[in-house]
Amino acid sequence: MYDSYLADATGGGNSAFHNVHNDYLHIVDPNERRRLALAEIDKADFGWNHVRAIVVAGAGFFTDAYDIFVINAVTILLGLVYYSQPPYDGIMSAASQTAVKVATPVGTVFGQIGFGYLADRYGRKKMYGIELIIIIVATIAQSLLSESRALSLVAVVIFWRFVMGVGVGGDYPLSAIITSEFATTKWRGAMIGSVFAMQGFGQLSATLVALVTTQTFRGSLEPYIEPKDCGGDCALAADKMWRIITGFGAIPGCMALYYRITIPETPRYTFDVARDILKAERDVMAYMDGRRGPTRRTDSDELQRVSDMHRYANDLRVPRPSFADFRQHFGEWANGKLLLATSLSWFFLDIGFYGLGLNNGAVLQTLGFAGKENVFRMVQNAQVGTIVISCAGSIPGYWLTVALVDVMGRRNLQLLGFMMLTTLFLIIGFAFDNLSRGAFLTLYIMSQFFFNFGPNATTFIIPGELFPTRYRATAHGISAAAGKLGAITALAFDPLRSRGASADCNNTTACSPWLNNIMKIFALFMFCGLITTFLLPETARRTLEDITVEHGSSITRSTSSIKTSTYHPYYRESSSTSATPHQGRFWDWRPARNRPAFRMRLFSREDTT
């Protein structure tokens, strides 16, 4: 065995470009080679390569959140420019506002499902970067639009926001899955959570850019008292402002684009779907060494890679992806309930999250940030109110999740968040008329905090861990698309909010007489999310392979004669002992740190001969 090992060794490799092939050449069993290569990632200490992965993926989410939530400022400015005539009087019509706001979530649904499938079909690396290019092009196109006789400018804005939504949707499964599959087991939740937490900074940056732009054009806005009076210099300033605010969203995406298109393929995809053993081993080392782009190799290395790919592809115990296997896998209740639970939890969450987030104006009216001495104060006050809410509630919630998600566990954190949101919305809904402005502000900030220290983060994290590699991106995309359907549903409550409002309410609290009832409805949806969370298992501090094996992966069905423990990247028993999953049952309330740890055993050359 040792003689053949020396004979098959390949040339090439140095301190910068490691020859990974020779590291595992002595191991004949492709499943054992897979186990050892994935263990390199799972047991790695947190390092700069992990930080780079977070920054590259997080830059996309920063851009996504910026582009989604900037529309709150843009609709105010579009009203000043294109709706100055009666009966609108400088306020964008409700139908147009809804259409502009709903275009992005609709496009996001298509992007999440489409890119999720394509990432499983063609690979994460091939798709990563394409969605960011779509976002950049659509964002720049929006900022350069002009009115014409043949087309309504608002209609073209709706089109480009739909296209942008497709790119935003693609970023959800791609960033989550790539981060998950490259993450160390110990801090996987914190890494995925850090990527998602960039949404908070994106939302805050959108508001800050709008505020700075408003201050820059203060001299043109301040002389005008009412929105309907905004003409001449005021309309010109507002037209420049919304284009600047929108176009700024393309900058972080451009900065991250190079790093996205030069990442290596995730080794789990290369092993389990592409079934290219040697390339997967190289991808592991490329990531661990922090390299970008293709790995340098000799001709003999490439010949060996192709030879191994054909020789061992059929020996890997991981099933090949197919539509029939997809139906069989998720047709079993043990697997189907997980996809149902992640999808419904995300759907119920986003009804409340986007129902408030995309209609901040009504809440800001109640909080007293809608007062207007002139057009400048009207625009400025809306931005200041959003900044207060973001800094006091949203951003702390995101980053406390990053700190505690691997300690408390994803499931417990999601249960806590839904429970607190149900309680807070019930208090606001039933005590609405008796709440002081300070009490309402406190309760609203607390709700933003528990959105993000809870289900808004965990609904993104859990689908990136819970499903087998061959369907992980597709399942995450389906779950995320269900969430965006919730966001679209939430926009239907906007007309309900103003039910019974008088025509002369003049942008005050009287314009939202049904806000208290909407909060009660949102409380019901949060309670539904609490119920669906009980279907989910705990995934903290466990390898992705252990999670999918325990919860009915078809790996075990297709290889019933093989013990599941023989290919697990950390855990291996003797051939006479069956692997018995013992961690993370859905009724297990123990914190992740108190659960039994896996026994580490890496094999020497003698073990495999």
Side-chain angles (χ1 to χ4, degrees):
M1 181 68 181
Y2 185 71
D3 292 339
S4 64
Y5 164 69
L6 291 178
D8 292 336
T10 58
N14 52 45
S15 59
F17 298 94
H18 187 73
N19 190 329
V20 183
H21 173 261
N22 292 348
D23 286 350
Y24 300 130
L25 190 64
H26 60 284
I27 301 173
V28 177
D29 183 2
N31 298 287
E32 183 69 1
R33 293 171 71 176
R34 172 181 179 270
R35 184 184 72 84
L36 291 170
L38 296 185
E40 291 286 340
I41 291 178
D42 289 336
K43 68 184 177 65
D45 294 329
F46 189 84
W48 283 110
N49 53 317
H50 298 108
V51 174
R52 186 171 74 92
I54 292 171
V55 171
V56 171
F61 265 83
F62 178 97
T63 303
D64 297 346
Y66 184 100
D67 290 333
I68 289 174
F69 290 100
V70 77
I71 197 62
N72 289 319
V74 169
T75 52
I76 295 175
L77 297 170
L78 288 175
L80 295 175
V81 180
Y82 300 103
Y83 289 83
S84 58
Q85 301 300 320
Y88 306 113
D89 294 333
I91 305 296
M92 195 174 187
S93 68
S96 296
Q97 285 195 48
T98 301
V100 170
K101 291 178 180 179
V102 82
T104 301
V106 170
T108 302
V109 171
F110 287 93
Q112 286 164 335
I113 295 176
F115 275 92
Y117 167 76
L118 293 173
D120 283 337
R121 179 69 177 82
Y122 297 106
R124 288 73 160 120
K125 176 180 173 59
K126 289 183 179 179
M127 293 296 107
Y128 210 38
I130 295 177
E131 86 294 349
L132 198 56
I133 292 173
I134 294 174
I135 296 173
I136 293 169
V137 171
T139 301
I140 295 174
Q142 288 177 70
S143 65
L144 297 178
L145 293 178
S146 62
E147 198 172 26
S148 72
R149 295 180 182 271
L151 291 173
S152 164
L153 182 135
V154 173
V156 182
V157 169
I158 292 170
F159 169 78
W160 281 113
R161 287 195 66 81
F162 171 84
V163 174
M164 184 189 73
V166 174
V168 170
D171 206 25
Y172 274 73
L174 284 168
S175 290
I177 300 310
I178 288 174
T179 306
S180 175
E181 293 181 350
F182 273 130
T184 174
T185 300
K186 185 177 181 180
W187 300 114
R188 186 175 60 239
M191 287 184 62
I192 305 175
S194 296
V195 171
F196 193 70
M198 295 304 294
Q199 275 197 341
F201 289 127
Q203 184 177 359
L204 177 62
S205 296
T207 311
L208 287 174
V209 170
L211 183 61
V212 171
T213 307
T214 302
Q215 290 288 343
T216 303
F217 289 92
R218 178 173 183 169
S220 299
L221 301 176
E222 210 163 25
Y224 300 87
I225 305 300
E226 295 291 337
K228 64 182 179 181
D229 301 327
C230 185
D233 291 344
C234 177
L236 179 61
D239 197 31
K240 292 179 180 178
M241 287 168 61
W242 79 262
R243 297 175 189 277
I244 293 170
I245 295 168
T246 301
F248 191 86
I251 296 176
C254 293
M255 295 171 63
L257 183 59
Y258 167 75
Y259 294 95
R260 288 202 171 195
I261 62 179
T262 57
I263 65 164
E265 182 57 88
T266 69
R268 284 181 166 88
Y269 180 87
T270 311
F271 270 124
D272 295 353
V273 183
R275 310 177 87 81
D276 192 338
I277 299 167
L278 186 55
K279 184 178 183 300
E281 294 168 353
R282 287 176 179 152
D283 288 340
V284 170
M285 291 302 177
Y287 174 71
M288 299 305 296
D289 294 342
R291 299 196 304 271
R292 299 187 294 272
T295 305
R296 192 178 73 177
R297 53 184 179 265
T298 65
D299 292 339
S300 60
D301 285 335
E302 185 62 19
L303 290 173
Q304 186 68 46
R305 184 190 72 82
V306 176
S307 174
D308 284 356
M309 183 175 176
H310 289 286
R311 184 190 312 169
Y312 297 127
N314 293 327
D315 294 333
L316 285 169
R317 296 167 189 154
V318 182
R320 292 180 182 273
S322 65
F323 182 67
D325 181 67
F326 181 89
R327 287 193 307 170
Q328 182 184 10
H329 181 78
F330 289 104
E332 294 184 4
W333 173 243
N335 303 317
K337 73 173 183 180
L338 302 181
L339 183 58
L340 180 67
T342 56
S343 300
L344 288 179
S345 296
W346 211 331
F347 174 81
F348 294 135
L349 165 76
D350 274 7
I351 289 178
F353 183 75
Y354 282 93
L356 295 181
L358 292 179
N359 292 287
N360 253 354
V363 178
L364 293 175
Q365 290 170 9
T366 305
L367 293 175
F369 288 103
K372 52 178 185 179
E373 302 169 11
N374 49 52
V375 172
F376 168 74
R377 292 297 180 189
M378 180 189 74
V379 178
Q380 183 194 51
N381 288 345
Q383 312 310 329
V384 171
T386 304
I387 290 173
V388 170
I389 293 171
S390 295
C391 292
S394 299
I395 293 178
Y398 278 118
W399 290 101
L400 191 59
T401 295
V402 173
L404 297 180
V405 69
D406 287 305
V407 178
M408 291 180 60
R410 290 81 155 122
R411 182 174 175 273
N412 291 343
L413 195 59
Q414 185 162 309
L415 287 171
L416 173 66
F418 273 129
M419 192 181 305
M420 291 301 300
L421 288 169
T422 303
T423 304
L424 289 169
F425 288 162
L426 285 175
I427 293 173
I428 294 174
F430 284 101
F432 188 83
D433 294 331
N434 299 318
L435 291 174
S436 66
R437 184 173 295 175
F440 184 86
L441 176 61
T442 301
L443 291 170
Y444 187 73
I445 288 176
M446 288 179 64
S447 69
Q448 292 298 317
F449 174 82
F450 282 105
F451 267 129
N452 299 303
F453 181 60
N456 193 36
T458 54
T459 52
F460 178 78
I461 295 171
I462 294 174
E465 304 174 310
L466 203 54
F467 304 103
T469 301
R470 63 193 187 281
Y471 303 128
R472 187 171 289 132
T474 301
H476 193 286
I478 292 172
S479 302
K484 285 302 171 285
L485 289 176
I488 295 169
T489 303
L491 291 174
F493 290 103
D494 190 45
L496 188 62
R497 170 183 57 83
S498 57
R499 180 181 179 183
S502 60
D504 58 347
C505 62
N506 196 26
N507 204 31
T508 63
T509 306
C511 294
S512 306
W514 253 62
L515 184 59
N516 61 327
N517 294 319
I518 288 179
M519 300 302 286
K520 297 174 188 176
I521 296 172
F522 287 167
L524 174 61
F525 285 118
M526 296 305 101
F527 180 75
C528 292
L530 177 68
I531 298 302
T532 57
T533 302
F534 282 102
L535 294 174
L536 295 171
E538 183 53 71
T539 58
R541 301 282 170 90
R542 301 165 59 206
T543 68
L544 297 177
E545 285 66 39
D546 169 52
I547 296 167
T548 55
V549 168
E550 175 176 337
H551 298 288
S553 170
S554 54
I555 294 175
T556 56
R557 294 196 306 268
S558 64
T559 59
S560 57
S561 62
I562 302 171
K563 305 301 180 184
T564 57
S565 57
T566 58
Y567 59 84
H568 191 279
Y570 278 156
Y571 188 71
R572 183 161 182 162
E573 299 281 18
S574 64
S575 59
S576 62
T577 305
S578 297
T580 302
H582 56 272
Q583 285 188 302
R585 296 288 190 181
F586 71 88
W587 60 80
D588 190 350
W589 285 77
R590 291 175 295 173
R593 64 179 181 273
N594 292 338
R595 299 194 190 100
F598 284 114
R599 177 163 58 87
M600 184 72 175
R601 182 184 173 193
L602 295 180
F603 293 92
S604 64
R605 183 178 304 163
E606 288 75 18
D607 291 328
T608 60
T609 55

